[in-house]
């Protein structure tokens, strides 16, 4: 039972990650390949605040989000100059840099040794120890994230983002400050990814840089593309499918030494099938040009 | 009085002088046509005026204010709107949403308004949606409002793009070949919209190939050739101008 709840917690965290990337990728149309960098900053920020200064995760989590948003500004900067594949490569590179910093700035992050013993969330003096209680917390953040992102994309602000995706030059010709909107989209996306990272850290209670690799960023990207870019439901479908499908391998009695590499292969295969048969994703209607 | 003034403007592309030491002005309240053979530099001139390209040298002055190196969105806020030779609608947005964009301002398009869902923003949206619907109605496209822009015919796209620019309420409208590639039935509708702008006190500067269209719609004509101004005058004057015929057809009019 706890195992099932655990899978749902992880799914919820990935839904937040995928939804936040969807704002940048699916709505503003900006190919961003380093999304886990923001989760990394969120996770380390609130973990270190808790471990070194005893700051509650309730405060650490929004602070992690804010720091991730600041990084979002930096990672978004290339989007004001570069397009398409070049932008994808630049954001990929920045993601790798953040990963390397987490791995090599040993004084701060303990590098590859990771941070053990990260405190859990507490409520009224009770630690959210049972998995079901944490699932409620994650579910709350999933709903909150989806609600806010939905509000953003259905607003005039979101309409400008979509116009940038559809035709950036035309958007400029209507007087939109396209660069400012791109940067804002990156910052908002990064904020929620930071929160997801923090939720992960205080759940697992241990983080190390390997949770935030480029491969992980690509998994989140795949969730968005698989579910359908530019729709609110897309990331839910994509994250659920891509977390739960590989888990089912275990029920087939596959040892984890086989299941892990198989997971990567399933992702790869799914991506190929998707591009061939349904490039707009399961529930989306927008595809890459 | 000149609303738009261009002085010694040049733009090179790898040695090609697309616009070459060009000076011209567009009178306030006029409908001025810009003609010239393919590759004359007409579109480049529009891109230089609207900030989409940087000039190699020279100045652009709009209503007495220099706008030469402003970014495109700032030039729009000065009061210059444009369309594109290759129509640029937002294909996967509804026709109404295409028109909502120019009607909305930075206030309601901010992140803060989105997060708070402010009442002021929602009111503005409502009035803008009515305005957009009226614009569509005025050209008989009301029934297309909720369809994606990509479902429109080419002529309808040109028309909606022009409406979208007009919704900015610009003082100067730049239209790049507003009727080219459009079915003949659609041409009078588009020309009518262009000519109506005069009554609104707007100035129109448009690129056009067809001499008949120019005669019908314009009161001034500027001829561009190899990035330079070849001639300027009323449509009648230009039509009888020997050099213009040479530029267009490679020979003098009435030549043996
Ligand atoms: N972005 C560009 N890069 C390189 N050359 C260009 C570019 N835009 C225009 N040109 C060149 O500038 C010249 C003028 O082009 P253009 O302004 O499009 O002409 P027109 O609109 O009068 O047909 C042409 O020789 C064209 O090839
Ligand atoms: Mg042209």
């Amino acid at each position: 039972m706890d195992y099932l709840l655990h899978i749902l917690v992880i799914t919820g965290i990935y839904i937040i990650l995928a939804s936040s990337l969807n704002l940048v990728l699916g709505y503003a149309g900006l190919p961003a390949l380093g999304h886990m960098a923001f989760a990394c900053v969120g996770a380390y920020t609130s973990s270190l605040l808790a471990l070194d200064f005893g700051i509650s995760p309730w405060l650490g989590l929004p602070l992690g989000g804010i720091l991730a948003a600041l990084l979002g500004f930096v990672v978004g900067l290339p989007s004001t100059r570069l397009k398409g594949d070049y932008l994808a490569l630049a954001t990929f590179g920045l993601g790798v840099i953040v990963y390397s910093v987490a791995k090599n700035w040993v004084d701060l992050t303990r590098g590859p040794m990771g941070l053990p013993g990260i405190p859990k969330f507490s409520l009224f003096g009770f630690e959210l120890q049972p998995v079901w209680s944490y699932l409620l917390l994650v579910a709350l953040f999933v709903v909150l994230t989806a609600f806010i992102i939905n509000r953003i994309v259905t607003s005039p602000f979101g309409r400008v983002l979509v116009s940038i995706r559809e035709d950036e030059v035309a958007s400029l010709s209507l007087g939109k400050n396209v660069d400012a909107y791109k940067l804002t989209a990156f910052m908002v996306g990064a904020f929620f990814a930071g929160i997801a990272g923090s939720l992960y850290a205080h759940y697992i209670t241990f983080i190390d840089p390997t949770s935030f690799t480029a491969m992980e960023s690509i998994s989140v990207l795949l969730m968005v593309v698989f579910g359908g870019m530019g729709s609110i439901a897309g990331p839910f479908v994509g994250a659920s499918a891509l977390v739960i499908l590989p888990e089912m391998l275990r029920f087939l009695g596959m040892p984890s030494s086989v299941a892990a590499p198989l997971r990567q292969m399933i992702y790869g295969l799914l991506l190929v099938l998707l591009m061939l048969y349904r490039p707009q994703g399961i529930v989306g209607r927008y595809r890459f040009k | 009085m000149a609303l738009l003034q261009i002085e010694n403007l040049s733009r090179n592309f790898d040695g090609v002088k697309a616009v070459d030491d060009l000076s011209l002005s567009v009178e306030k309240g006029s409908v001025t046509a810009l003609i010239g053979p393919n590759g004359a530099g007409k579109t480049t001139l529009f891109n230089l005026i609207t900030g989409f390209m940087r000039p190699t040298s020279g100045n652009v002055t709009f209503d007495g204010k220099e706008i030469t190196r402003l970014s495109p969105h700032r030039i729009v806020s000065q009061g210059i709107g444009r369309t594109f030779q290759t129509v640029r609608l937002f294909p996967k947005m509804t026709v109404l949403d295409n028109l909502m964009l120019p009607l909305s301002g930075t206030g309601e398009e901010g992140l803060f308004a989105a997060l708070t869902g402010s009442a002021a923003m929602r009111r503005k949206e409502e009035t803008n949606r009515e305005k957009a619907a009226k614009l569509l109605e005025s050209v008989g496209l009301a029934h297309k409002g909720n369809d994606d822009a990509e479902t429109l015919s080419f002529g309808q796209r040109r028309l909606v793009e022009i409406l979208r620019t007009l919704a900015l309420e610009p003082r100067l409208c730049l239209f790049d070949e507003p009727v080219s590639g459009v079915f003949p039935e659609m041409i009078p509708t588009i020309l009518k919209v262009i000519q109506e702008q005069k009554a609104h006190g707007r100035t129109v500067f448009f690129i056009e190939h067809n001499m008949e269209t120019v005669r019908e719609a314009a009161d001034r004509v500027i001829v561009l050739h190899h990035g330079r101004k070849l001639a300027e005058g009323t449509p009648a004057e230009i039509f009888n101008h020997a050099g213009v015929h040479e530029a267009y057809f490679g020979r003098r009019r009435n030549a043996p």
Side-chain angles (χ1 to χ4, degrees):
Chain A
M1 187 60 192
D2 267 6
Y3 168 71
L4 189 68
L5 295 179
H6 167 73
I7 298 302
L8 289 178
V9 168
I10 297 297
T11 305
I13 290 172
Y14 273 110
I15 289 174
I16 299 175
L17 285 168
S19 298
S20 60
L21 177 59
N22 189 31
L23 183 73
V24 180
L25 179 75
Y27 287 95
L30 303 167
L33 284 188
H35 208 57
M36 283 314 266
F38 307 129
C40 183
V41 167
Y44 273 96
T45 302
S46 68
S47 300
L48 287 171
L49 285 175
L51 288 170
D52 294 353
F53 302 100
I55 291 174
S56 152
W58 292 109
L59 184 60
L61 177 128
L63 287 176
I66 289 168
L67 223 64
L70 292 180
L71 178 69
F73 180 85
V74 177
V75 173
L77 280 176
S79 74
T80 63
R81 289 293 163 88
L82 303 173
K83 297 203 191 342
D85 304 344
Y86 296 100
L87 176 58
L89 279 175
T91 53
F92 183 82
L94 286 166
V96 171
I97 289 174
V98 171
Y99 167 76
S100 314
V101 169
K103 199 165 146 189
N104 293 304
W105 192 353
V106 177
D107 288 347
L108 182 72
T109 65
R110 289 174 34 99
M113 292 176 291
L115 299 175
I118 301 166
K120 294 216 160 205
F121 276 86
S122 311
L123 197 59
F124 310 120
F126 294 101
E127 203 170 69
L128 296 186
Q129 179 61 44
V131 185
W132 64 262
S133 64
Y134 208 80
L135 180 59
L136 286 182
L137 181 72
V138 168
L140 178 76
F141 275 101
V142 168
V143 170
L144 211 65
T145 305
F147 175 79
I148 293 174
I149 289 184
N150 184 52
R151 195 160 226 199
I152 288 175
V153 299
T154 53
S155 72
F157 175 88
R159 191 167 55 214
V160 178
L161 291 191
V162 173
S163 81
I164 293 170
R165 174 190 88 193
E166 292 291 297
D167 192 328
E168 184 178 335
V169 168
S171 193
L172 268 175
S173 82
L174 299 178
K176 306 308 171 197
N177 188 349
V178 165
D179 289 350
Y181 280 96
K182 286 179 178 175
L183 289 172
T184 313
F186 262 103
M187 290 178 76
V188 175
F191 176 80
F192 285 106
I195 284 181
S198 171
L199 281 172
Y200 176 79
H202 294 281
Y203 171 63
I204 302 289
T205 70
F206 171 81
I207 52 170
D208 69 2
T210 59
S211 305
F212 310 103
T213 57
M215 191 58 216
E216 278 298 313
S217 292
I218 293 189
S219 297
V220 176
L221 180 90
L222 189 54
M223 289 171 189
V224 179
V225 177
F226 184 83
M229 290 183 284
S231 80
I232 290 294
F236 280 79
V237 174
S240 306
L242 269 63
V243 173
I244 294 166
L245 276 181
E247 289 299 330
M248 299 203 319
L249 293 176
R250 282 201 217 201
F251 288 108
L252 299 177
M254 217 164 279
S256 60
S257 60
V258 181
L262 208 59
R263 187 186 114 155
Q264 310 270 331
M265 284 164 69
I266 290 177
Y267 280 14
L269 185 68
L270 278 177
L271 189 57
V272 173
L273 291 177
L274 195 69
M275 287 303 128
L276 280 174
Y277 297 109
R278 203 166 161 84
Q280 73 273 46
I282 302 297
V283 296
R285 54 183 221 126
Y286 161 65
R287 62 168 85 170
F288 279 118
K289 273 161 238 155
Chain B
M1 199 197 102
L3 182 64
L4 179 74
Q5 192 128 29
I6 285 157
E7 285 163 328
N8 308 105
L9 198 67
S10 296
R11 169 71 203 218
N12 301 339
F13 293 110
D14 309 315
V16 178
K17 292 176 176 169
V19 169
D20 185 10
D21 198 27
L22 179 69
S23 297
L24 59 83
S25 59
V26 174
E27 292 299 305
K28 199 170 196 162
S30 71
V31 176
T32 303
L34 181 65
I35 67 170
N38 258 327
K42 307 181 294 293
T43 298
T44 303
L45 175 61
F46 273 21
N47 285 333
L48 293 172
I49 295 170
T50 52
F52 283 93
M53 282 179 184
R54 293 280 160 104
T56 315
S57 61
N59 294 308
V60 180
T61 314
F62 177 65
D63 206 13
K65 187 171 183 265
E66 180 164 353
I67 58 164
T68 317
R69 273 165 186 83
L70 294 185
S71 49
H73 72 274
R74 292 206 186 282
I75 290 174
V76 174
S77 63
Q78 296 293 315
I80 301 181
R82 72 169 292 178
T83 63
F84 296 88
Q85 185 173 343
T86 51
V87 184
R88 302 191 88 127
L89 291 181
F90 307 111
K92 285 226 180 332
M93 293 176 85
T94 66
V95 175
L96 271 176
D97 274 350
N98 266 271
L99 294 173
M100 291 290 282
L101 278 153
L103 292 168
S104 312
T106 46
E108 58 270 23
E109 283 175 341
L111 181 62
F112 187 71
L115 293 175
T116 57
S118 78
M121 179 261 275
R122 274 179 282 134
R123 267 199 307 278
K124 197 86 208 288
E125 281 286 283
E126 222 165 275
T127 47
N128 284 344
R129 203 159 283 279
E130 279 164 24
K131 270 193 206 169
K134 273 215 186 80
L135 274 173
L136 276 184
E137 209 180 292
S138 71
V139 295
L141 286 179
H143 59 292
K144 281 288 187 184
N146 291 317
D147 294 352
D148 279 355
E150 64 185 357
T151 67
L152 296 176
S153 76
F154 187 73
Q156 289 171 335
R157 278 182 226 179
R158 277 238 190 262
L159 185 57
V160 170
E161 196 198 24
I162 290 169
L163 289 183
R164 196 178 64 178
T165 298
L166 295 175
L168 288 167
E169 306 200 345
R171 283 182 289 158
L172 173 66
C173 310
L174 306 178
F175 299 128
D176 196 342
E177 305 196 15
V179 296
S180 90
V182 167
F183 276 123
E185 305 89 82
M186 183 61 102
I187 293 178
T189 316
I190 293 179
L191 290 185
K192 186 168 149 273
V193 171
I194 291 177
Q195 280 172 320
E196 276 169 6
Q197 300 317 308
K198 246 178 120 126
H200 288 101
R202 293 190 184 131
T203 308
V204 177
F205 191 26
F206 73 108
I207 297 173
E208 179 49 49
H209 275 295
N210 188 317
M211 285 290 196
E212 274 315 303
T213 313
V214 170
R215 264 223 282 229
E216 209 174 308
D219 36 47
R220 291 295 292 174
V221 182
I222 296 171
V223 188
L224 212 59
H225 190 39
H226 294 314
R228 291 166 164 274
K229 188 165 92 176
L230 183 70
E232 179 176 354
T234 64
E237 282 163 4
I238 294 301
F239 199 61
N240 294 313
H241 190 286
V244 174
H245 281 266
E246 198 169 11
Y248 262 95
F249 309 113
R251 61 179 163 80
R252 269 173 207 286
R253 198 169 179 228
N254 304 328

